[in-house]
Amino acid sequence: MKKEFLDLGRQPIANKFLREDEFDGEFFYNLKVVFDDDTKLVSLKDFVKPELMFNDDYVYHTSLSVPMVKHFKETAEMLMEEFNPLTVMEIGSNDGVFLKNWANDYTIGVEPCGNFAKITEDMGYQTYSEFWTTKLSEKIKNDGHVDFDLIYAANCICHIQDLDDCFSSVKNILSKDGVFVFEDPSLLRMLERGSYDQIYDEHAHIFSVTALDNILMKNGLKIFRVDNLSVHGGSNRIYVSHLPPEPYTFFRYRPVELSVRENLQREDDFGLNEFKTHQDFTKRVEKSKNDLVELLVKLKNDGKRIMSIGATAKSTTVFNYCGIGAAPWQTDLIELITDTTKDKQGKYSPGSHIPVVPRESVNLNDYDYVYLGAWNFKDVIVNIESEFIQNGGKFITHVPNVGVG
Ligand code: JHZ
């Protein structure tokens, strides 16, 4: 029932920034995308082995994007006020940006990347450095943890390839009245904005509320609320509880709120449940590629200098799909990328091999254009770089359409 609609070509591991001596052995795979007619789920056709992406060399530090620190603090405050959980677990706790808002005597993390699990262990949070599986949920129970009142995950559930195992193990360890809250990029927003760069190895799935509703239901869980968020170019926060058995004894029955119906309706109206809509998206992606390459080549031929801000996983997809970078004839289209992450600095971008350097080492006024690799932080970056704009500098983006602003 899975139908292919998009081929983004040969791609490397999106967050594997390299030293020069690692270029030769670089791992590549084919990035193709499928639509499941049954569940309406959009997924990668071929998954990359999790250990190749999430390991002790993982580099994405959520805390290094300042707006996200505020986002997770506000999220924790809201969840505390509304659900007042006695026990909390975060799946994919990264550098503790969410965990740190909760007391460490009733909060634990799950984080397969050992370098990040160590950070939260050092902060005093018990952290299981393993992938989220049924086996791990059993282990946590056997270690004496009671079921959790709040299970939270941000930009993590869409990384998990086997969703049935993921959701059944959440159910296994969610207290009877507990809530499971998770947020991930929205398929509807991706299609509306043409942001095909949400697709890369880590994002095994791009979720619609419709597909999640179908798959959660199969696993004895139900969505009772959906928040539409602006973070990461448009995400959905999904609130889930147990599907109550008959009779409802011991369960607080959480009525399904209007936001669920509204989101399902909006997705249906847009055509998300039709294969043709996804095929049409492919045409838009191909146009975006042609427009971006044409623009960069024209500017270069006019003698302009172009760099990029934000060595994102998203730009790995763009640069490799559009052939910007490593191909010998295009090495200087984008001269360098700046990024706040120390572990990316001094290395080269995956596949495209563009140097990544600290922002402080570059005088932006030496450049005419900045390509926004982190277009999702456009407002923040434009604000920080106001001097560049005053001096006539311009930004290039491909979302929602290729253009200069
Ligand atoms: P950002 C990652 O994707 C990977 P990426 C992951 N799979 C995921 O799901 C999302 O995050 C959530 C830098 N930066 O958040 C910091 C600046 O240099 O768009 C980051 O490296 N200057 C887990 O990589 C990058 O840009 C700045 O002013 O696509 C942003 O990465 C700011 C604000 C950020 O996620």
Side-chain angles (χ1 to χ4, degrees):
M1 300 305 281
K2 290 186 181 153
K3 297 177 179 167
E4 181 182 325
F5 64 91
L6 180 60
D7 184 348
L8 292 167
R10 186 172 171 267
Q11 294 278 347
I13 300 292
N15 261 319
K16 176 78 183 114
F17 291 80
L18 310 149
R19 296 185 312 266
E20 213 165 329
D21 63 355
E22 293 174 309
F23 289 175
D24 277 349
E26 192 169 12
F27 173 87
F28 286 91
Y29 69 100
N30 290 319
L31 181 54
K32 294 183 178 172
V33 191
V34 294
F35 173 74
D36 184 337
D37 245 342
D38 260 351
T39 59
K40 313 301 176 199
L41 181 67
V42 165
S43 309
L44 303 193
K45 185 173 180 196
D46 301 306
F47 295 135
V48 171
K49 267 204 179 100
E51 296 77 9
L52 287 178
M53 302 179 278
F54 307 112
N55 49 46
D56 296 356
D57 297 324
Y58 194 65
V59 290
Y60 183 76
H61 272 264
T62 309
S63 298
L64 293 179
S65 294
V66 177
M68 296 315 292
V69 178
K70 182 166 175 274
H71 171 78
F72 288 114
K73 182 170 185 291
E74 288 171 357
T75 303
E77 284 166 1
M78 177 276 290
L79 293 170
M80 202 175 308
E81 194 176 317
E82 175 148 9
F83 301 110
N84 199 18
L86 296 180
T87 46
V88 179
M89 173 172 72
E90 184 181 16
I91 306 174
S93 44
N94 194 260
D95 59 7
V97 66
F98 176 80
L99 283 189
K100 71 178 182 189
N101 299 291
W102 305 84
N104 57 14
D105 54 349
Y106 61 84
T107 308
I108 69 164
V110 171
E111 175 50 68
C113 305
N115 50 339
F116 283 89
K118 183 170 182 325
I119 297 175
T120 47
E121 275 287 344
D122 290 347
M123 287 160 69
Y125 295 92
Q126 183 185 10
T127 308
Y128 287 85
S129 188
E130 289 180 43
F131 289 102
W132 177 250
T133 56
T134 305
K135 210 168 125 210
L136 178 59
S137 71
E138 287 299 339
K139 181 172 165 184
I140 294 173
K141 272 176 176 276
N142 290 338
D143 283 352
H145 286 283
V146 293
D147 288 349
F148 290 90
D149 291 340
L150 171 66
I151 300 178
Y152 179 76
N155 302 301
C156 172
I157 299 301
C158 74
H159 295 176
I160 299 178
Q161 299 170 0
D162 183 345
L163 291 176
D164 287 327
D165 184 74
C166 168
F167 293 145
S168 59
S169 39
V170 164
K171 187 171 172 70
N172 187 28
I173 203 165
L174 184 67
S175 71
K176 289 207 179 329
D177 288 339
V179 287
F180 169 39
V181 179
F182 63 100
E183 51 188 80
D184 286 294
S186 147
L187 178 68
L188 178 62
R189 291 302 281 146
M190 181 182 96
L191 263 61
E192 282 174 342
R193 310 189 79 183
S195 49
Y196 68 90
D197 51 347
Q198 292 289 6
I199 302 168
Y200 48 88
D201 53 356
E202 293 182 12
H203 288 175
H205 319 279
I206 308 287
F207 290 140
S208 63
V209 178
T210 310
L212 284 171
D213 199 40
N214 291 334
I215 300 165
L216 284 158
M217 194 80 89
K218 256 202 316 175
N219 287 288
L221 294 163
K222 71 160 203 278
I223 304 177
F224 66 91
R225 180 187 302 164
V226 177
D227 290 341
N228 304 125
L229 310 173
S230 61
V231 292
H232 289 297
S235 302
N236 287 327
R237 183 183 290 141
I238 310 284
Y239 297 72
V240 173
S241 67
H242 286 282
L243 197 63
E246 302 280 351
Y248 298 149
T249 11
F250 306 127
F251 280 78
R252 179 184 313 161
Y253 178 68
R254 292 187 193 276
V256 176
E257 298 175 13
L258 191 59
S259 58
V260 180
R261 169 94 359 248
E262 283 171 349
N263 274 275
L264 294 173
Q265 190 63 53
R266 207 176 306 136
E267 292 183 351
D268 198 36
D269 291 347
F270 188 86
L272 270 200
N273 302 328
E274 305 299 323
F275 184 57
K276 180 163 184 320
T277 306
H278 300 277
Q279 288 176 305
D280 291 346
F281 178 66
T282 297
K283 291 181 202 137
R284 182 168 177 186
V285 174
E286 287 163 355
K287 180 173 173 358
S288 175
K289 169 184 178 167
N290 293 337
D291 290 352
L292 182 63
V293 173
E294 199 176 298
L295 174 66
L296 295 177
V297 170
K298 182 185 175 306
L299 293 175
K300 212 68 203 180
N301 288 342
D302 290 347
K304 305 295 183 200
R305 295 190 69 188
I306 312 165
M307 57 158 285
S308 177
I309 293 183
T312 58
K314 294 185 288 292
S315 36
T316 296
T317 295
V318 175
F319 294 160
N320 287 277
Y321 175 58
C322 298
I324 296 162
W329 60 93
Q330 281 180 347
T331 32
D332 60 351
L333 276 184
I334 289 178
E335 295 179 37
L336 55 85
I337 310 169
T338 65
D339 199 283
T340 47
T341 313
K342 286 224 161 22
D343 292 339
K344 297 181 185 177
Q345 295 166 358
K347 296 194 174 168
Y348 293 84
S349 63
S352 49
H353 303 169
I354 302 169
V356 182
V357 298
R359 169 66 189 86
E360 311 77 73
S361 70
V362 178
N363 180 359
L364 238 56
N365 297 321
D366 291 343
Y367 292 84
D368 303 288
Y369 291 86
V370 168
Y371 169 74
L372 282 168
W375 53 263
N376 43 315
F377 293 117
K378 182 176 178 186
D379 293 349
V380 182
I381 294 170
V382 165
N383 198 21
I384 297 172
E385 308 299 355
S386 55
E387 192 194 319
F388 169 67
I389 301 172
Q390 277 156 21
N391 291 335
K394 295 204 161 51
F395 288 97
I396 298 173
T397 182
H398 68 282
V399 178
N401 296 301
V402 172
V404 171

